[in-house]
Amino acid sequence: MLSERSERSERSERSERSERSERSERSDDTDGDTTALALKILAAGGFGVGKTTLVGAVSEIRPLRTEELLSEAGRLVDDTDGIDRKVTTTVAMDFGRITIRSGLSLYLFGTPGQDRFWFLWDELAQGALGAVALADTRRLADCFPAVDYFEHRHIPFVVAVNCFTGARRHDEYSVLRALDLDPGTPVVLCDARDRDSGKEVLIRLVEYAGRMHTARLLDSVR
């Protein structure tokens, strides 16, 4: 009898330890889900500026792309001056994900560049922490719609100058003046094909957007 009670007691203790361990693991999983932070970032800019390339270069997952071949009809409305070799275009969005550090991930949404797809921007911009406005100095005017869009909606953004091979190089201050940006708006020179370069752009954006949102929060409580 004593032996049976002892065995039952041991089984009961093992069962309790197992249940406590499972609860602890579930608690750890829940805490991990709670502390993990995912931020939404937009990549916008003119037609052929490198948005799809940027998202694809930095994404740690296989990027979602909605590219279609340029048609003859589209060539009548799409300005391909300077980007004659471009044969596809984004018709909805690009999507990728990158982990900046433990507990912080960015969800990247690339917007379509042509005027006729701008109605999609409002949907994509919902809940965005900030945006990257890509610029090509050979076609700098194409960047103005993205800059105006983010300024009018008070979405923090950085201008990332995609340094294309053979294009004339301009420093950050020259681009800041040419785009008539508000003082303090970050301008970054980058190579959209290079993962490290693209990641540096995103880090600058997160830092800048964090400062902007904090300043707005402080202003609201004064």
Side-chain angles (χ1 to χ4, degrees):
M1 293 291 293
L2 290 175
S3 177
E4 290 179 3
R5 282 198 293 270
S6 177
E7 290 178 1
R8 285 198 298 270
S9 177
E10 289 180 2
R11 286 198 298 269
S12 177
E13 289 179 1
R14 286 197 297 270
S15 177
E16 289 179 0
R17 285 197 298 269
S18 178
E19 289 179 2
R20 285 197 298 270
S21 177
E22 289 178 1
R23 286 196 296 269
S24 177
E25 290 176 359
R26 288 196 296 268
S27 176
D28 291 342
D29 290 343
T30 301
D31 290 343
D33 292 342
T34 302
T35 56
L37 182 62
L39 304 175
K40 182 178 183 181
I41 301 296
L42 296 186
F47 177 54
V49 77
K51 302 178 292 295
T52 299
T53 301
L54 175 67
V55 173
V58 302
S59 180
E60 62 196 17
I61 63 173
R62 183 178 180 181
L64 168 67
R65 290 173 174 155
T66 58
E67 289 193 301
E68 295 292 341
L69 291 172
L70 291 173
S71 65
E72 288 302 319
R75 292 182 186 279
L76 299 176
V77 293
D78 295 331
D79 180 10
T80 58
D81 183 34
I83 50 173
D84 302 333
R85 291 180 294 177
K86 185 173 178 60
V87 296
T88 62
T89 185
T90 299
V91 296
M93 68 173 187
D94 302 305
F95 173 76
R97 185 190 70 205
I98 179 174
T99 299
I100 297 297
R101 58 173 173 77
S102 178
L104 176 59
S105 297
L106 303 183
Y107 289 164
L108 311 176
F109 291 82
T111 66
Q114 297 98 314
D115 299 6
R116 61 185 180 279
F117 295 127
W118 280 353
F119 68 92
L120 294 169
W121 286 33
D122 288 338
E123 293 293 331
L124 294 175
Q126 290 291 328
L129 173 78
V132 175
L134 275 164
D136 177 355
T137 55
R138 300 170 303 177
R139 300 154 55 95
L140 197 58
D142 291 354
C143 187
F144 278 110
V147 169
D148 290 342
Y149 183 91
F150 298 131
E151 284 184 343
H152 291 160
R153 287 160 180 78
H154 306 291
I155 297 175
F157 68 96
V158 302
V159 172
V161 179
N162 193 6
C163 298
F164 287 88
T165 302
R168 182 181 176 184
R169 297 297 178 95
H170 299 271
D171 59 46
E172 293 91 335
Y173 182 68
S174 297
V175 176
L176 183 80
R177 292 186 58 188
L179 292 174
D180 193 26
L181 299 173
D182 292 334
T185 302
V187 177
V188 188
L189 304 182
C190 74
D191 182 345
R193 302 166 299 180
D194 182 76
R195 188 175 192 275
D196 290 337
S197 180
K199 186 174 180 180
E200 183 61 31
V201 171
L202 297 175
I203 291 173
R204 289 284 301 275
L205 171 61
V206 171
E207 292 173 345
Y208 176 65
R211 292 195 301 269
M212 293 293 291
H213 285 294
T214 298
R216 291 170 186 173
L217 180 61
L218 292 175
D219 287 341
S220 68
V221 298
R222 286 175 182 172

